[in-house]
Amino acid sequence: MDKIKLLTIAVISLLLLNLGTLGFLLFSAPNKQHTPHGGGFEGRPKPKEIIIKKLQFDTNQIKQYDELITWHHQNIRAVEDDIRNSKNELYLLLNINPVNEKAKDSLILVLSNNQKQIESIHFQYFKHIKKICTPNQLDRYKELTEELSKFFSKPPRPERD
């Protein structure tokens, strides 16, 4: 067999192997959607589903809970916008030589206060959920509060170098 024929067979084989690999990756990989803040509940039930199921909410309670979710999302989004803006300002300070330490410390304080505000909003949210519960649901609510960190924490990230 001459060299040109051997080279042609090798190139065609490698091309088919690459196409097969690409096809495998495209059609067998799970469909993961990107979330803007790195959160997401791929393969896990959403918090809303967990709470409704765990507390066994009726139709009226679900309606009240949907309104509470809207309130919660609006408030969290507003604080997250402030965090994003403050972080942008903070990291722009890196372009100033020397770095303005007072401005840096002030922005870090704003960021820590924003995080405190987020936790306060979450706490209020769960207090309002308790108000939606009937007396016979309060035991399930107590169980829920003992498991909250498991339900709503982000899955661990793989380590990076």
Side-chain angles (χ1 to χ4, degrees):
M1 197 183 297
D2 63 341
K3 290 182 181 179
I4 292 179
K5 193 173 186 179
L6 183 63
L7 186 60
T8 303
I9 292 171
V11 168
I12 291 172
S13 298
L14 289 173
L15 182 64
L16 290 173
L17 182 63
N18 282 337
L19 289 174
T21 303
L22 283 173
F24 174 77
L25 291 174
L26 288 174
F27 295 114
S28 68
N31 185 14
K32 291 187 178 180
Q33 295 181 357
H34 174 73
T35 54
H37 50 76
F41 296 92
E42 296 90 11
R44 302 187 304 170
K46 294 179 181 173
K48 177 182 177 179
E49 297 165 357
I50 294 169
I51 290 171
I52 290 172
K53 183 177 179 182
K54 185 101 176 149
L55 299 177
Q56 300 174 0
F57 278 166
D58 62 26
T59 307
N60 186 40
Q61 288 172 312
I62 292 172
K63 183 180 176 187
Q64 291 175 0
Y65 181 51
D66 283 338
E67 292 170 4
L68 181 58
I69 289 172
T70 301
W71 170 86
H72 182 256
H73 285 181
Q74 288 172 344
N75 284 282
I76 292 295
R77 241 181 249 124
V79 178
E80 286 176 341
D81 288 344
D82 288 344
I83 288 173
R84 194 172 10 270
N85 293 334
S86 297
K87 282 185 177 184
N88 286 337
E89 289 180 45
L90 177 66
Y91 294 124
L92 285 174
L93 291 176
L94 293 169
N95 295 326
I96 301 170
N97 199 4
V99 172
N100 182 336
E101 291 296 321
K102 283 186 179 181
K104 176 198 72 142
D105 292 343
S106 174
L107 287 167
I108 290 173
L109 182 62
V110 167
L111 288 167
S112 67
N113 286 335
N114 283 335
Q115 188 59 45
K116 181 180 175 182
Q117 192 174 354
I118 283 176
E119 296 306 324
S120 178
I121 292 167
H122 289 325
F123 192 83
Q124 288 175 319
Y125 171 72
F126 287 105
K127 278 178 59 177
H128 289 298
I129 290 173
K130 185 178 184 179
K131 290 178 185 175
I132 295 173
C133 292
T134 62
N136 63 347
Q137 292 171 321
L138 291 177
D139 285 339
R140 289 189 293 272
Y141 176 82
K142 183 180 179 203
E143 290 174 19
L144 175 73
T145 60
E146 293 169 358
E147 300 170 353
L148 285 177
S149 64
K150 295 176 199 169
F151 291 143
F152 304 108
S153 62
K154 294 179 184 176
R157 290 183 176 184
E159 289 187 27
R160 292 190 227 173
D161 293 330

